[in-house]
Amino acid sequence: MRLISYNIHKGIGGRDRRYQLDRICRVMEEEQPDLLCLQEVTRHARRTRYHDQPRILAQHFNAHDYCFQMNVHYRTGGYGNLLLSRWPFHRKHDVSLRLRRRKPRGAQLVVVDTPEGSLHLANWHLGLLESERHWQVEHLLRHHLFRESAHLPTLIVGDFNDWRNKLANGPFASHEFEQATGSSLRFRSFPAFLPLLTLDKAFHRGGIVIHDARVIHGPLARLASDHRPLIIDFSLMAGSSKINAAAV
């Protein structure tokens, strides 16, 4: 199975500042993903021509199921996280990750009925402060909506804003998660035109086999957004969706 995690920057190019959602689509089309975990997706916002990007992207990729989480609200419209799937969702939840008066952030939680079994998947966009990010990870992993599916194979992806890679040996290690994007040099994804920082990551636990993880390169990926997309190729171990893993 193939997953793509991509901060699409509302469809606005990182260097030319042009709004062209079709460039985002073309970058992802070439990879033929089964699951799309996107951040900074707009709905009805003036800067992106009042487009309903979740609906447009769901139709373009012929998604069997999708869900959108609006986190930041403008006077008209706003933006947030979008999850698209080739397969149906058995369960879906939104969890707020806003810390006090900081910028609103959130995580999407779904259980996907894949051909290999149930997958517990989280898509999020974390904050800019290190202390905020550590709180957000702990908040989600201890949240009752996360815990109700924590026995399933679990994959957490998105824009972590963790440029110093402090989360891997902190809260994720204490909750027995492995990082699929361990080498910071190999997974540099921001800024897209000359990647210097590893912001887009993936962590997994419980019966997930990672076959490949890579950042998409190429001329279009350098232009379409201010991030480059992350690809995860994985499978579920036989019977792993029935594992009774320890509660988080």
Side-chain angles (χ1 to χ4, degrees):
M1 297 180 283
R2 174 165 291 177
L3 177 149
I4 187 167
S5 175
Y6 196 6
N7 182 329
I8 71 167
H9 196 230
K10 311 169 186 71
I12 299 169
R15 296 201 77 179
D16 62 20
R17 308 298 296 173
R18 294 164 60 188
Y19 172 56
Q20 292 187 354
L21 191 61
D22 66 295
R23 294 192 296 196
I24 297 293
C25 293
R26 283 155 51 205
V27 169
M28 296 192 289
E29 277 172 356
E30 293 181 4
E31 302 298 329
Q32 299 183 334
D34 302 303
L35 298 160
L36 294 80
C37 298
L38 310 180
Q39 306 87 43
E40 293 196 19
V41 179
T42 69
R43 174 180 275 167
H44 304 150
R46 179 180 177 182
R47 178 65 178 86
T48 50
R49 303 173 191 167
Y50 303 101
H51 287 168
D52 186 344
Q53 290 185 348
R55 181 184 58 81
I56 292 170
L57 291 166
Q59 291 179 349
H60 183 89
F61 288 96
N62 195 27
H64 185 287
D65 216 338
Y66 79 99
C67 55
F68 176 62
Q69 178 190 37
M70 180 94 81
N71 292 314
V72 178
H73 293 263
Y74 301 141
R75 181 174 297 179
T76 302
Y79 69 90
N81 303 319
L82 176 65
L83 242 166
L84 307 172
S85 174
R86 186 184 300 275
W87 308 294
F89 297 146
H90 173 67
R91 186 178 295 150
K92 53 187 174 182
H93 300 294
D94 289 342
V95 176
S96 172
L97 298 179
R98 187 175 193 179
L99 177 61
R100 295 189 289 275
R101 299 176 66 87
R102 299 289 302 169
K103 183 177 181 178
R105 304 280 182 174
Q108 296 177 288
L109 296 175
V110 297
V111 174
V112 189
D113 289 335
T114 81
E116 299 180 13
S118 296
L119 169 69
H120 186 210
L121 176 63
N123 174 39
W124 65 11
H125 188 179
L126 300 186
L128 298 178
L129 293 180
E130 188 169 310
S131 59
E132 178 187 14
R133 293 191 293 272
H134 279 258
W135 177 86
Q136 287 169 332
V137 174
E138 287 287 356
H139 180 70
L140 183 71
L141 297 184
R142 296 181 184 278
H143 199 282
H144 71 278
L145 292 176
F146 183 91
R147 291 165 62 96
E148 73 180 16
S149 301
H151 62 285
L152 296 172
T154 300
L155 186 57
I156 302 176
V157 302
D159 181 352
F160 284 61
N161 272 317
D162 180 29
W163 62 277
R164 297 176 64 196
N165 203 33
K166 294 292 187 179
L167 296 173
N169 294 324
F172 279 111
S174 65
H175 290 274
E176 300 182 337
F177 276 86
E178 297 180 59
Q179 187 174 6
T181 49
S183 169
S184 59
L185 295 179
R186 182 182 169 199
F187 293 101
R188 288 177 175 176
S189 60
F190 179 88
F193 64 89
L194 183 63
L196 299 173
L197 303 177
T198 306
L199 302 187
D200 304 279
K201 303 176 188 287
F203 287 81
H204 62 98
R205 186 182 69 183
I208 291 179
V209 179
I210 303 296
H211 300 289
D212 189 29
R214 58 187 169 85
V215 171
I216 297 176
H217 301 290
L220 195 56
R222 288 198 296 267
L223 291 174
S225 171
D226 62 346
H227 284 243
R228 294 195 186 186
L230 173 68
I231 294 289
I232 304 292
D233 289 333
F234 70 101
S235 60
L236 305 185
M237 294 180 185
S240 60
S241 61
K242 299 177 182 178
I243 292 174
N244 291 317
V248 194

